[in-house]
Amino acid sequence: MKRLFLDFVNQVGGKRRRITIQSTKEDPTSRQVSNAMDVFISLEVVPGTQVLM
């Protein structure tokens, strides 16, 4: 089973947050992963102070 780990780091305190996506259907490109992480930030799934790892 493939898993995709999206790691975010808080700019202020350095605390990390990981979102795991189970069973990706295809191998995403780095651009697709970056876009997905930007969507999580814009929808406030993760706070705006989080940055991509």
Side-chain angles (χ1 to χ4, degrees):
M1 169 172 41
K2 290 185 180 183
R3 287 185 223 159
L4 176 63
F5 298 101
L6 305 175
D7 291 321
F8 298 84
V9 176
N10 187 303
Q11 293 175 320
V12 179
K15 188 174 181 181
R16 294 176 184 243
R17 176 174 288 183
R18 173 177 277 179
I19 296 174
T20 304
I21 300 174
Q22 303 288 338
S23 301
T24 58
K25 292 187 178 186
E26 52 187 64
D27 293 330
T29 65
S30 60
R31 173 175 241 134
Q32 290 171 316
V33 171
S34 181
N35 288 342
M37 293 176 90
D38 288 340
V39 168
F40 282 124
I41 292 171
S42 70
L43 294 174
E44 298 181 2
V45 173
V46 293
T49 56
Q50 302 283 115
V51 294
L52 314 177
M53 282 280 308

